[in-house]
Amino acid sequence: MSGAGQATGTLLLIGASRGLGLGLAEAFLQRGLRVVATVRSAEHPTPLHDLAARYDALRIEAADITRPEQIAALKSRLEGERFDWLFVNAGVAHAPPSIADTSAEDFDRLMTTNAWAPFQVIAALESLLAADGGVGVMSSGQGSLTNANRPGHDAYRASKAALNMLMRGYAARPDSAGRPLLLLAPGWIRTALGGPDAPYTVEDSAPLLADLILAQSGRPGLRYLDRDGNTVPW
């Protein structure tokens, strides 16, 4: 695959029903990739279904990544296919600003969805990747311990720091050595999760981030990068 412009290959995108995931799905399709993208539930149409009406190269699957049985069912449906990238975008953000005001249920929800679930997905689906296929996860600059010098968003930041640590452990496995591995910090984007005050839009961000992901193809090793391709300090 090439890193920009027209590309070839197949990408499995987890979490694309709306917002940045939807924008990424469209950006990858515009670059010539075949995309299998997931929504959490098949019960209701989403903007991703509208996108599928415009692109024959988009296939939609349903899976709640916090439900292991649904991940296993997704793998069964995809068995025999090969992907050049597995990118996990799904996540949640909403919780009180202070950890002191965060309930155990809210903390568990963030940790489960943002840290535990992505690696259940990776463990289940990595066998569908090409030998040099890439694994990427949507992280955040707020997961950086080095840059954690302001209060607020405590539980969310902890969940992204945990995600980063788990990715480092995954990268240390001998069988991960030949793969491009990416933790992506996309910046503050105007979505349902990011809110209306965010400085970046999905329309501006998705093409930039899609090119950044594809540019890692053929480059083994783990990188934690921001939207401009700069290394984020751990």
Side-chain angles (χ1 to χ4, degrees):
M1 293 191 302
S2 65
Q6 283 302 109
T8 59
T10 304
L11 186 139
L12 177 54
L13 179 60
I14 306 297
S17 62
R18 60 178 182 168
L20 185 55
L22 176 67
L24 283 172
E26 183 166 16
F28 288 128
L29 290 163
Q30 289 173 342
R31 281 148 181 76
L33 276 76
R34 186 175 73 86
V35 177
V36 177
T38 72
V39 297
R40 189 169 60 179
S41 171
E43 293 182 1
H44 304 287
T46 71
L48 187 66
H49 292 82
D50 296 333
L51 188 65
R54 294 163 41 207
Y55 288 94
D56 292 338
L58 173 60
R59 170 180 165 188
I60 300 175
E61 291 284 351
D64 182 337
I65 66 170
T66 67
R67 302 277 297 275
E69 72 279 8
Q70 293 193 19
I71 300 171
L74 174 64
K75 179 184 180 181
S76 179
R77 293 194 299 272
L78 297 176
E79 203 67 61
E81 300 194 39
R82 284 295 173 267
F83 296 93
D84 298 291
W85 272 94
L86 166 61
F87 193 87
V88 183
N89 173 71
V92 293
H94 300 299
S98 171
I99 193 66
D101 299 322
T102 302
S103 68
E105 291 77 12
D106 280 342
F107 189 75
D108 287 349
R109 175 177 55 85
L110 262 71
M111 282 291 181
T112 295
T113 307
N114 291 351
W116 178 81
F119 285 91
Q120 302 304 305
V121 170
I122 292 168
L125 304 182
E126 63 181 348
S127 64
L128 303 177
L129 286 168
D132 60 350
V135 175
V137 184
M138 192 65 78
S139 184
S140 169
Q142 295 194 63
S144 167
L145 296 181
T146 301
N147 292 338
N149 49 23
R150 292 180 297 175
H153 306 290
D154 295 338
Y156 175 75
R157 293 165 81 171
S159 72
K160 291 300 186 178
L163 172 76
N164 293 353
M165 176 61 76
L166 291 169
M167 189 61 148
R168 291 197 72 164
Y170 180 78
R173 300 182 343 174
D175 55 350
S176 298
R179 295 194 186 283
L181 304 173
L182 177 63
L183 286 162
L184 184 56
W188 188 13
I189 299 176
R190 211 173 302 154
T191 63
L193 293 182
D197 298 326
Y200 303 121
T201 67
V202 170
E203 291 76 16
D204 291 338
S205 300
L208 179 74
L209 297 171
D211 287 340
L212 181 59
I213 293 166
L214 296 180
Q216 310 313 307
S217 299
R219 302 181 63 200
L222 174 60
R223 294 170 182 86
Y224 181 17
L225 303 178
D226 68 15
R227 60 187 289 116
D228 297 315
N230 300 314
T231 297
V232 181
W234 294 98

